[in-house]
């Protein structure tokens, strides 16, 4: 598995966790206590991971020669909560059938 794709996978999952943290922070800010510390902390983390996710999608797309439609779908998945995990799983499943074939080719050489 290319390193760009491993980075993409890690960032996609981290971005989803940051969404969860931000949603919890928003719940506490607007429903429970009215304190915005959770939103400030997780908002910053989520913002950084959002940008990193966009860069990771572009890097993985370049390394994996993804189609334009796949790249656009990956970028759109950065917006709804937890969609990055769905997209990461989808792309991982696409690569899994190629892994045994690549290993068999490597062994025969």
């Amino acid at each position: 598995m290319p390193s760009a794709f491993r980075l993409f996978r890690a960032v996609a999952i981290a971005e989803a966790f940051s969404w969860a943290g931000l949603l919890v922070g928003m719940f506490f800010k607007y429903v429970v206590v009215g304190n915005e510390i959770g939103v400030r902390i997780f908002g910053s983390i989520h913002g950084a991971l959002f940008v990193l996710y966009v860069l990771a999608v572009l890097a993985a797309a370049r390394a994996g020669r993804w189609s334009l439609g796949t790249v656009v779908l990956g970028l759109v998945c950065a917006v709804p909560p937890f969609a990055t995990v769905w997209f990461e799983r989808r792309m991982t499943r696409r690569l899994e059938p190629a892994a045994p074939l690549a290993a068999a080719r490597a062994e025969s050489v």
Side-chain angles (χ1 to χ4, degrees), residues 15-90:
E15 198 270 349
F17 275 104
S18 73
W19 250 122
L22 182 57
L23 291 173
V24 169
M26 289 170 60
F27 176 76
F28 276 92
K29 177 181 179 181
Y30 295 111
V31 177
V32 179
V33 293
N35 188 336
E36 68 179 46
I37 189 72
V39 173
R40 269 202 274 162
I41 291 170
F42 283 106
S44 299
I45 292 169
H46 178 68
L49 286 170
F50 178 89
V51 171
L52 191 56
Y53 174 79
V54 168
L55 295 174
V57 165
L58 295 175
R62 184 172 182 194
R65 298 178 187 237
W66 295 355
S67 69
L68 179 60
T70 301
V71 174
V72 169
L73 179 61
L75 295 175
V76 167
C77 284
V79 178
F82 314 113
T84 57
V85 172
W86 171 82
F87 183 71
E88 177 271 325
R89 298 290 182 218
R90 180 176 187 221

Side-chain angles (χ1 to χ4, degrees), residues 1-9 59-60 63-64 95:
M1 186 176 305
S3 60
F5 191 75
R6 282 195 301 268
L7 172 68
F8 158 73
R9 289 185 70 192
L95 285 178

